[in-house]
Amino acid sequence: MFEGSADIYDRFVGRYGVPLGDAMLDFAGVGAGIRVLDVGCGTGALAGQAAARVGAANVAGADPSEPFVESCRRRVPGADVRVAPAESLPFDDDCFDAVMAQLAVQFMSDAPRGVSEMARVARPGGVVAACVWDYADRMRLLRAFWDAAVTVDPGSAARDEARLLRYAKADELGALWSEAGLADVATEGLEVEAAYDDFDDLWLPFLAGVGPAGAYAASLDPDGQAALREQLRQELGDPSGPFTLTALAWGVRGNA
Ligand SMILES: C[S@@+](CC[C@H](N)C(=O)[O-])C[C@H]1O[C@@H](n2cnc3c(N)ncnc32)[C@H](O)[C@@H]1O
């Protein structure tokens, strides 16, 4: 799902990644002098924003997708970016002040193990933080997409990320953090927005098959894609010309 083009990802959900990275860094209290690890770094939206605050030499990243890791290395030269899943982080114990995962916990094959690895590499008292989209409600792009898909093809309901993916609510994320032994666990909604030139600027990246929604759109035949495209346009209020959408992710943080 995430082995495709990094450029397409950045035009798709990645469009929200930079402002969300800043919101995450504020939420985790990351400022100068802090060493940061970005777990599930993807193309490096959060890692890039972290480097602007703490310097690339103080930033590391890990992601199982080789093309995304390559893209992150190009985006954040000087950062230590490695191909690895959260469940098996190739870093020593206690070596980061802040360990963060932006929009990645829900894709881990074993999230409790991934979070316990995040806690292991954080220094005692360091912050461990993550966020996951509010797929069920306030992540407008993906909510509108699945509402449109289910209208056109009721059978697609089982593929809706709000049903498919875990940890997309504050209480579930908070429980995952507490069960990993993290202290002073807090959750908060982080809202960002992205701008689109027009409706096709939003629609075309879906067809590249990135992520669960892209994989579904790309699996349809041309008639199915045309019907979904039209329904999605209606869900979004039939925009003509430029528009913006808001997206809310649930953030969680705790101390190792
Ligand atoms: C929606 S993308 C988010 C990427 C990036 N953090 C961002 O905010 O743009 C999800 C990322 O999770 C990564 N991922 C999937 N399974 C993972 C795992 N087990 N451990 C860590 N990352 C994983 C994917 O390769 C992908 O880069």
Side-chain angles (χ1 to χ4, degrees), residues 157-174:
R159 301 177 67 161
D160 179 346
E161 283 143 290
R163 282 206 191 184
L164 205 64
L165 297 175
R166 297 193 59 193
Y167 309 115
K169 286 287 171 208
D171 55 354
E172 200 182 3
L173 263 179

Side-chain angles (χ1 to χ4, degrees), residues 73-227:
R73 286 179 179 144
R74 281 195 301 275
R75 185 176 192 157
V76 197
D80 175 7
V81 189
R82 304 185 190 180
V83 177
E87 293 85 346
S88 175
L89 291 173
F91 298 99
D92 291 337
D93 294 358
D94 306 341
C95 63
F96 295 99
D97 303 297
V99 181
M100 312 182 64
Q102 175 166 301
L103 309 175
V105 167
Q106 71 273 38
F107 294 111
M108 293 177 189
S109 47
D110 183 347
R113 180 165 171 77
V115 178
S116 102
E117 274 289 274
M118 291 173 70
R120 176 185 66 76
V121 301
R123 68 162 170 77
V127 65
V128 178
C131 66
V132 177
W133 289 130
D134 181 17
Y135 293 106
D137 190 7
R138 291 169 63 189
M139 195 313 173
R140 284 216 55 219
L141 171 71
L142 294 174
R143 190 65 263 133
F145 177 88
W146 288 113
D147 287 349
V150 171
T151 300
V152 173
D153 166 19
S156 68
R159 301 177 67 161
D160 179 346
E161 283 143 290
R163 282 206 191 184
L164 205 64
L165 297 175
R166 297 193 59 193
Y167 309 115
K169 286 287 171 208
D171 55 354
E172 200 182 3
L173 263 179
L176 179 67
W177 251 235
S178 297
E179 282 156 20
L182 294 157
D184 301 323
V185 173
T187 57
E188 192 173 302
L190 308 173
E191 190 173 73
V192 294
E193 66 176 35
Y196 295 90
D197 294 339
D198 54 27
F199 178 73
D200 275 333
D201 191 27
L202 175 147
W203 168 250
L204 292 173
F206 277 105
L207 302 180
V210 179
Y216 172 71
S219 74
L220 299 173
D221 63 21
D223 285 349
Q225 287 178 350

Side-chain angles (χ1 to χ4, degrees), residues 1-3 9-10 13-18 20-21 38-47 62-66 68-69 75 84-89 100-111 114 131 133 135 210-212:
M1 259 187 326
F2 294 108
E3 294 295 327
Y9 177 79
D10 286 341
V13 178
R15 207 179 280 249
Y16 298 84
V18 167
L20 187 60
D38 181 5
V39 175
C41 59
T43 61
L46 183 142
D63 196 287
S65 163
E66 289 194 23
F68 281 10
V69 163
R75 185 176 192 157
E87 293 85 346
S88 175
L89 291 173
M100 312 182 64
Q102 175 166 301
L103 309 175
V105 167
Q106 71 273 38
F107 294 111
M108 293 177 189
S109 47
D110 183 347
C131 66
W133 289 130
Y135 293 106
V210 179

